[in-house]
Amino acid sequence: MVSTGTYQSVLKADLLVRPLVPDDVATVMDIERQGYSHPWTESVFLDCFKDNYRLWAASHGETLVGYAVVAYMVDEAHLLNICVHPGARGKGVGRHILRHVVSTAAHEGMIQLLLEVRASNAMARALYENEGFREIGKRPGYYPAANGREEALVMVLEFGQ
Ligand SMILES: CC(C)(COP(=O)(O)OP(=O)(O)OC[C@H]1O[C@@H](n2cnc3c(N)ncnc32)[C@H](O)[C@@H]1OP(=O)(O)O)[C@@H](O)C(=O)NCCC(=O)NCCS
């Protein structure tokens, strides 16, 4: 069990972004369940360990504080998941992971990063907008929600601009 103080002491300067490994998945699941109303299952994470996926972990010392999952399809990267432990939010961890996703995807020949975000997810939308993403469409009823379905906004960041 990681104490709350461990997350509160997170400093961006001390963060390391490294590839996520299958042994991290139990910790990831703990963060995932706290992060989403409809979390991914463990088997969904395990299915992402494939050649055209990139899974990243942000760690502070030994403590995993956030992660991202990205799929590469031809020359497009698709951000499938990004999540930060609730105790470590608002300290720049999400931005740090996102910038790592962008720089590695660009370095690996992708031309843009696409994502879907719940219309109601103000924190994530603010992060993406601040990082230069723009909305290119909507997918009605894309997400399960407490009272039916919720629309997704589709956002893109084109590299090299
Ligand atoms: C979205 C998420 C990854 C952001 O991570 P974070 O580490 O808290 O974000 P950062 O501290 O790097 O903040 C980056 C930007 O996000 C926005 N943001 C962060 N916290 C916010 C808040 N409480 N209210 C509004 N905007 C906020 C701001 O634009 C912020 O930039 P600023 O500090 O210059 O104002 C995190 O809230 C999370 O894990 N949420 C649950 C999972 C989720 O919804 N993932 C996105 C799926 S599409």
Side-chain angles (χ1 to χ4, degrees):
M1 182 61 133
V2 181
S3 77
T4 311
T6 306
Y7 295 109
Q8 283 164 355
S9 67
V10 166
L11 291 175
K12 202 168 71 178
D14 298 331
L15 282 177
L16 174 76
V17 181
R18 60 161 175 84
L20 195 79
V21 296
D23 279 353
D24 293 317
V25 170
T27 310
V28 163
M29 283 307 302
D30 180 44
I31 299 174
E32 175 80 8
R33 291 190 187 106
Q34 297 181 62
Y36 293 106
S37 56
H38 297 78
W40 282 11
T41 61
E42 186 170 336
S43 64
V44 170
F45 277 102
L46 292 172
D47 274 351
C48 292
F49 287 92
K50 294 179 183 149
D51 283 353
N52 64 320
Y53 282 64
R54 298 292 177 273
L55 295 91
W56 301 112
S59 60
H60 183 255
E62 295 290 298
T63 309
L64 195 156
V65 295
Y67 51 86
V69 179
V70 190
Y72 289 176
M73 282 167 259
V74 192
D75 57 3
E76 277 186 0
H78 198 145
L79 182 63
L80 303 178
N81 196 337
I82 181 167
C83 192
V84 173
H85 187 283
R89 288 189 197 153
K91 298 163 179 285
V93 177
R95 173 178 288 124
H96 192 71
I97 299 171
L98 184 59
R99 288 185 177 177
H100 180 87
V101 165
V102 168
S103 61
T104 50
H107 185 72
E108 293 188 272
M110 301 298 116
I111 59 165
Q112 58 185 17
L113 179 61
L114 279 161
L115 59 85
E116 282 91 16
V117 58
R118 278 181 193 268
S120 64
N121 193 343
M123 271 189 249
R125 287 178 62 181
L127 168 62
Y128 302 140
E129 280 160 20
N130 285 353
E131 290 301 298
F133 285 77
R134 67 186 169 87
E135 189 185 322
I136 53 166
K138 293 181 171 38
R139 297 194 202 280
Y142 185 78
Y143 290 111
N147 301 313
R149 310 285 301 181
E150 180 176 357
E151 86 175 349
L153 309 184
V154 184
M155 302 186 81
V156 69
L157 179 72
E158 286 147 346
F159 304 154
Q161 289 189 348

